[in-house]
Structure formats: structure tokens, C-alpha cells
């Protein structure tokens, strides 16, 4: 009898978890990222290494303009074989001027061999943009103002 009750309880718990993730999918698909993220966050507490859950939660954070928070979850999704995370992770790195990180992500994605020819071209363009950023940053020098002197605007450059 105990075994039967335990099985029934586990079955309801699994169905409830599946239903909540399904609800999150519907919320996500209708653009309700805040509500969906709360459900995905709870689901991740139960399955922290699930690549799909990490990706969906990261996408919610990405859509909510919380890119810095999304990095960890996109990286976990990528580490668990969810290659689509590369696109968003690379985009976040580009927006935060982390060009060398973007280069690594984009190169890994290209080398996966799982891109269509159109996607290959898009990622090549993004990779070129990241490489250009690396090149630009390597030429920047630090500028420091040693003394604060009040000058007329016309004499500033002299």
C-alpha cells in the first residue's frame, strides 16, 4: 500500500513539474518573459544541469535585457550540448565589448559543423565583427588627466 501511495505521489509530482514547464513555454512564446523566467528558475533548482532549461531561462533573461545574468545560464546550456546558446552568448559578449570571448564562442559554433550554409554566413559575419573588435581594442591606449586646469575651450588642444 505504501509503495502504491509513493508511486501515485511521484506521478503527480512529475506531472506537476511537466505542467509548470509547459506553462513557462506558453508564457515565453507569448512574450511574458518575466513570468516564464520565474517558472524556469524554479525548474532549474530541480534540474540545474538541464541544457534546455538553462537555455530557456537565459533567453528570458536576455529578452529582459539582463545579459550579464544570462551569461552563466547560456554557458551551462552550451556546456550541456545546447549549441544554439552560442548565438546569444556571443551577442552578449559583443555588447559588453568582450570581443575575445565572442571570438571563442563563435569559432566553437562554426567548428561544430551543425550550421546550415545561411547560418554559417551569419556567424562568419559576427565572428568578423568580434575579431575587428579585438583588433580595435589592442590599439587603445590609456588616457589620463594628471592635473585639472581650467582652460578656454579654444586653447584645450594646444
Amino acid at each position: 500500500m505504501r509503495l502504491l501511495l509513493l508511486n501515485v505521489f511521484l506521478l503527480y509530482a512529475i506531472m506537476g513539474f511537466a505542467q509548470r514547464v509547459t506553462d513557462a513555454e506558453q508564457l515565453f512564446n507569448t512574450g511574458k518573459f518575466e513570468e516564464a523566467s520565474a517558472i524556469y528558475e524554479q525548474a532549474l533548482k530541480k534540474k540545474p544541469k538541464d541544457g534546455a532549461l538553462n537555455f530557456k531561462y537565459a533567453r528570458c533573461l536576455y529578452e529582459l535585457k539582463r545579459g550579464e545574468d544570462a551569461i552563466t545560464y547560456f554557458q551551462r546550456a552550451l556546456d550541456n550540448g545546447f549549441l544554439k546558446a552560442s548565438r546569444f552568448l556571443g551577442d552578449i559578449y559583443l555588447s559588453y565589448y568582450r570581443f575575445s570571448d565572442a571570438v571563442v564562442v563563435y569559432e566553437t559554433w562554426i567548428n561544430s559543423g551543425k550550421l546550415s550554409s545561411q547560418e554559417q554566413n551569419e556567424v562568419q559575419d559576427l565572428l568578423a565583427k568580434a575579431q575587428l573588435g579585438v583588433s580595435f581594442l589592442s590599439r587603445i591606449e590609456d588616457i589620463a588627466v594628471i592635473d585639472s586646469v581650467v582652460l578656454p575651450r579654444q586653447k584645450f588642444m594646444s
Side-chain angles (χ1 to χ4, degrees), residues 21-76:
V21 172
T22 303
D23 293 343
E25 294 286 324
Q26 290 174 337
L27 290 167
F28 180 88
N29 291 333
T30 58
K32 296 178 181 172
F33 302 112
E34 191 72 45
E35 294 91 340
S37 71
I39 296 171
Y40 287 129
E41 186 176 23
Q42 289 299 315
L44 278 172
K45 289 179 182 176
K46 295 175 184 167
K47 293 180 156 186
K49 293 186 180 184
D50 186 307
L53 284 176
N54 277 289
F55 177 77
K56 287 291 191 171
Y57 182 58
R59 271 297 304 278
C60 288
L61 296 174
Y62 178 85
E63 297 297 335
L64 293 167
K65 308 292 186 233
R66 293 174 47 197
E68 192 72 36
D69 297 332
I71 290 173
T72 302
Y73 298 98
F74 277 132
Q75 189 61 56
R76 279 189 203 154

Side-chain angles (χ1 to χ4, degrees), residues 131-149:
Q131 289 170 331
L132 188 62
V134 169
S135 174
F136 284 157
L137 283 182
S138 69
R139 296 185 189 131
I140 293 178
E141 295 182 24
D142 291 333
I143 299 172
V145 176
I146 305 299
D147 194 8
S148 59
V149 177

Side-chain angles (χ1 to χ4, degrees), residues 55 78 81-91 94 101-116 118-127:
F55 177 77
L78 190 57
F82 216 83
L83 286 174
K84 193 174 182 180
S86 300
R87 171 61 189 259
F88 298 98
L89 190 56
D91 290 350
L94 281 178
D101 291 332
V103 167
V104 170
V105 170
Y106 290 140
E107 284 178 342
T108 302
W109 197 19
I110 289 169
N111 294 333
S112 71
K114 296 183 178 182
L115 297 172
S116 68
Q118 180 183 355
E119 287 174 320
Q120 183 88 16
N121 291 335
E122 289 174 13
V123 178
Q124 287 287 355
D125 290 343
L126 291 168
L127 176 60

Side-chain angles (χ1 to χ4, degrees), residues 11-25:
L11 180 63
Y12 280 116
I14 290 170
M15 287 177 15
F17 177 76
Q19 183 63 38
R20 296 213 12 109
V21 172
T22 303
D23 293 343
E25 294 286 324

